[in-house]
Amino acid sequence: MRWLVELYRSTIGKKIIMAVTGLIGIAFVFLHMVGNLQVFIGQNKFDAYAALLHGPLAELLWVARAVLIAAVLLHVLMAWQLTRRARAARPVDYRMREAQVSTLASRTMRWGGVLLLVFIVFHILHFTVGAIDPAGVFHDTDALGRHDIYGDVVASFRIWWVSGFYLLAMAFLGLHLFHGAWSSLRTLGVARPSDHPLHRRIAAAVAIAVWLGFTLVPLGVIAGIVH
Amino acid sequence: MNLTLHVWRQPAAGAAGKFERYEARDVSPEMSFLEMLDVVNEGLIAAGQAPIAFDHDCREGICGMCGMMISGAAHGPMKMTTTCQLHMRSFKDGDELWLEPWRARAFTVVRDLVVDRSAFDRIIQAGGFVSVNTGSPQDANAIPIGKQEADEAMDAAACIGCGACVAACPNGSASLFTAAKISHLGLLPQGQPERYRRALRMVAQMDLEHFGGCTLFGECQEACPKGISIDFIARMNRDYLRAAATAREERAVGGTG
Ligand code: HEM
Ligand code: FES
């Protein structure tokens, strides 16, 4: 166990925790995105999917939730600690320091991460718990008496600020993953050496797929394709 | 050509500093950056003022002594070039330049543009060596080393310890330096016995010196006058993770050194 404590205390260990929890996040976000795209099949399919998760798969869902909550907490805690450490490492700042090659994505990891955290909390209170219910339809049921999450999605995304915030958060998620999907493999030391270490085709594909997959849902509602 | 310089002037460590404005007149494009500063300093001395202090030694890009932030870029605008090897032809007549020392908690300003980089020395002392019995030299090539490994080790060994990686890093991280030093020994057969202990100790020392962590911004690689790749940081992380997971407590048996 001592080695775990040592690892936790080192900057590399903290970054490794971020990478592992971040990769858990990417795996989740991918599955979630694919699940969400079922709104395009229709209300019956989508509500049935939700009923499946909450019925037969309920135990599995709780395991997944526990892992995800632990991952987010660890990820954010490590981000906080490393950010404070980075600030302390340069007590007197430059008058002028020009970014040469760092991407916008890498430079927005911290503030974008804060936005993602706010979004995650909002999102859970909105679609999972129903404590925030902008459309006032959270407790509605569909024709088969199931929780009508489809109706909630459609009604919610018709509210401009709900879809606006969602679209903004997904843009930042795309940016976060454009850096994170690339950097996590280097943090873990599993990426192969390359002649162009800053190039990132796989991370770009991951970022675009996740961003697009999530973004299509509110766009589908706004365009009237999902109704 | 004529340039305007805004130079960080600080009389001593811990003293307050500020930017002073100087005019560099009749600068030849053939001058090196440090020669241009020499000329400015001649003028300051003639006027009875203290010359601008900056570090330098070889002036041929191999010793790692020189270095400063030139208008926001470590070692100035030219890629893979130390400040001493930067020439004034990289600038235009009328340019206004801001000269600042490397800024990091671990690099205290000694005076003006000179910083104390002994934190780097302590990282090396923590493990940047191979323990061998000295004696008469071995035959060259007695230990076969693959071309690939030899080349990679040489790429890492090109690090001259100038500190530009720390200076350019938004986090003030010494990851590129430490990674290069861990890797150039860790890639060679002679470095294997101490490979994982070296990674643990050098990383621990890097953290003790209050450098920041690595976000993989990539700025260090761009600033490095020797073009050292951030791939070495991935390699360091791999060695460190492996070392942390497999390290057994070392017990002193017989002679400890
Ligand atoms: C909850 C709010 C979040 C915050 C505050 C946050 C913050 C951060 C920060 C600051 C970094 C860069 C750390 C560094 O390089 O020093 C980072 C990296 C990363 N984040 Fe997040 N993030 C959040 C959510 C997420 C989510 C939801 C995912 C996944 C979908 C994710 C995936 C990643 C990955 C993969 C990395 C790269 C780790 C590495 O380079 O080793 N993050 N995060
Ligand atoms: S003075 Fe030696 S590298 Fe510049």
Side-chain angles (χ1 to χ4, degrees), chain A residues 163-175:
Chain A
S163 33
F165 182 40
Y166 192 94
L167 290 172
L168 180 76
M170 291 310 105
F172 273 97
L173 180 61
L175 277 178

Side-chain angles (χ1 to χ4, degrees), chain A residues 103-179:
Chain A
T103 56
L104 177 72
S106 67
R107 283 180 271 122
T108 53
M109 289 307 269
R110 288 168 187 158
W111 284 113
V114 170
L115 183 97
L116 287 177
L117 184 61
V118 172
F119 173 78
I120 290 169
V121 172
F122 171 81
H123 190 66
I124 291 173
L125 291 178
H126 176 195
F127 282 129
T128 310
V129 180
I132 300 174
D133 191 6
V137 296
F138 184 77
H139 297 287
D140 290 3
T141 47
D142 65 10
L144 296 175
R146 295 173 304 201
H147 173 53
D148 186 16
I149 190 66
Y150 181 90
D152 196 0
V153 167
V154 173
S156 294
F157 283 145
R158 284 190 179 147
I159 300 168
W160 69 269
W161 62 265
V162 176
S163 33
F165 182 40
Y166 192 94
L167 290 172
L168 180 76
M170 291 310 105
F172 273 97
L173 180 61
L175 277 178
H176 202 82
L177 299 191
F178 181 64
H179 185 72

Side-chain angles (χ1 to χ4, degrees), chain A residues 6 8 37 47 57 60 70 80 95 110 122 153-154 183 225:
Chain A
E6 297 253 315
Y8 173 80
L37 286 176
D47 286 353
L57 298 183
L60 201 66
W80 166 255
R95 185 182 181 285
R110 288 168 187 158
F122 171 81
V153 167
V154 173
S183 73
I225 301 168

Side-chain angles (χ1 to χ4, degrees), chain A residues 15 18-19 22 25 29 75-76 109 113 117 120 176 180 183-184 187, chain B residues 215:
Chain A
K15 193 66 198 298
M18 293 204 70
V29 145
H75 191 81
V76 174
M109 289 307 269
L117 184 61
I120 290 169
H176 202 82
S183 73
S184 51
T187 298
Chain B
T215 296

Side-chain angles (χ1 to χ4, degrees), chain B residues 11-208:
Chain B
K18 62 175 193 303
F19 284 98
E20 295 281 359
R21 185 190 161 108
Y22 301 100
E23 303 299 329
R25 304 228 162 271
D26 301 324
V27 173
S28 150
E30 264 45 84
M31 282 177 175
S32 76
F33 198 83
L34 297 187
E35 284 166 343
M36 180 276 294
L37 284 180
D38 289 337
V39 171
V40 171
N41 275 345
E42 298 283 341
L44 287 176
I45 293 166
Q49 295 173 29
I52 301 162
F54 58 87
D55 250 336
H56 62 106
D57 189 8
C58 70
R59 295 206 177 196
E60 51 187 31
I62 56 173
C63 75
M65 277 308 280
C66 66
M68 64 188 75
M69 213 68 172
I70 303 171
S71 290
H75 288 303
M78 198 160 174
K79 216 174 140 75
M80 286 184 68
T81 306
T82 55
T83 304
C84 62
Q85 287 294 297
L86 178 67
H87 287 78
M88 295 315 291
R89 52 183 170 266
S90 297
F91 302 92
K92 323 186 285 299
D93 185 41
D95 272 358
E96 205 170 323
L97 305 179
W98 291 83
L99 308 188
E100 293 182 72
W102 294 161
R103 295 243 184 244
R105 173 167 169 190
F107 290 171
T108 41
V109 175
V110 176
R111 181 175 188 147
D112 299 343
L113 303 173
V114 179
V115 297
D116 175 359
R117 286 166 297 168
S118 46
F120 273 11
D121 299 338
R122 290 187 292 273
I123 293 175
I124 296 292
Q125 283 161 10
F129 47 78
V130 289
S131 305
V132 289
N133 295 322
T134 52
S136 46
Q138 277 191 324
D139 283 347
N141 298 329
I143 304 173
I145 301 172
K147 168 83 174 140
Q148 180 71 26
E149 286 71 42
D151 284 355
E152 266 185 64
M154 273 308 278
D155 286 350
C159 170
I160 53 177
C162 64
C165 46
V166 174
C169 175
N171 292 347
S173 172
S175 290
L176 192 65
F177 168 79
T178 310
K181 297 304 179 190
I182 288 176
S183 300
H184 95 257
L185 296 173
L187 278 158
L188 296 174
Q190 294 91 331
Q192 294 310 310
E194 289 155 306
R195 177 168 169 187
Y196 295 105
R197 191 192 324 168
R198 177 182 306 115
L200 282 181
R201 292 193 177 169
M202 292 179 78
V203 168
Q205 191 63 35
M206 170 180 89
D207 284 351
L208 278 177

